[in-house]
Amino acid sequence: MNTLLKNMMLALLALGIGQAVWADDVSNFKKMLQAAEQGNADAQFNLGVMYDNGRGVRQDYAQAVQWYRKAAEQGYAQAQYNLGVMYDQGQGVRQDYAQAVQWYRKAAEQGYAQAQYNLGVAYKKGEGVRQDYAQAVQWYRKAAEQGYAQAQYNLGGMYVQGQGVRQDYAQAVQWYRKAAEQGYAQAQYNLGVAYKKGEGVRQDYAQAVQWYRKAAEQGYAQAQYNLGVAYKKGEGVRQDDAQAVQWYRKAAEQGLAEAQLYLGVMYDNGRGVRQDYAQAMQWYRQAAEQGDAHAQLALGLRYATGQGVRQDIVIAKEWVGKACDNGIQLGCDAYRELNQAGY
């Protein structure tokens, strides 16, 4: 069988499979619609999900809202939660935080963890309800005790900030750990910070590195940067400039200004990488353009000396001036010296 004929056969076979799946989707939709119209709450909720996600039917948020509402009015907790989300995001209905809170509350009072968490967020931000940190803590706790990782993380944050509860770093660590052990990257990072600082737990750089690494391997930029710092300083891990560069780069490529600055420094000094002033300039510029004052200073000084870039005193003054405006005294000093030199 020649290649063309074989490809045609494969295409026909794929088309046949596709038609069969499509026929099943249509059949399922018709059955679901019939049950929903007869008042079956499960069917109403599932029909809402189909419209919400465009599965087996053309996506239609307004129709999703309609069917979620029917199920929600029968006390179906997931539908109440989903209807709250639609109001929260303004999908298929005019955005209305108060309505979102109303539906979240109904689901939350039935013990639905995601709704309890979202209700906590609403109280924390004061969206659709009067801001009330104590209420936020109450609802975060209900969800957290059910094992909901985001709620555990947020509850830890409330203990750190002393919002709605007495500040307690040990309690914060407890909740961060619960979320971290579920793989929640932000909690892993915050637990690392707690070990680094010795807040709520005995200071332990090795433990800090362990938790930074878990978050970093999930792509969490701040953890990647902090892991780079640990390798640079040899805190909790053997000092290794090449590893520092590796982790700085991962965070820098995600746009984290601190990491871009220090990756620039590594290129500038030839630490963990071959010295390359042009590469240093590239990373300084990216950080400087995000407003990092130290990067602005470094960029300005490189323009002043012509290292890694053509010397340009006008541009040098612009960047050291920005650094000065952002509170770096060396930037002010450099600006003054360039002025006194007649530039």
Side-chain angles (χ1 to χ4, degrees), residues 86-117:
M86 301 302 272
Y87 273 110
D88 212 341
Q89 298 180 355
Q91 291 181 323
V93 69
R94 189 172 187 177
Q95 190 176 54
D96 188 327
Y97 292 131
Q99 280 288 307
V101 164
Q102 175 185 314
W103 290 108
Y104 287 153
R105 190 181 306 279
K106 289 180 184 291
E109 289 173 348
Q110 293 192 66
Y112 195 70
Q114 287 171 282
Q116 292 169 337
Y117 167 75

Side-chain angles (χ1 to χ4, degrees), residues 312-323:
D312 190 321
I313 303 301
V314 172
I315 296 178
K317 286 184 67 176
E318 178 185 336
W319 284 111
V320 298
K322 287 179 185 290

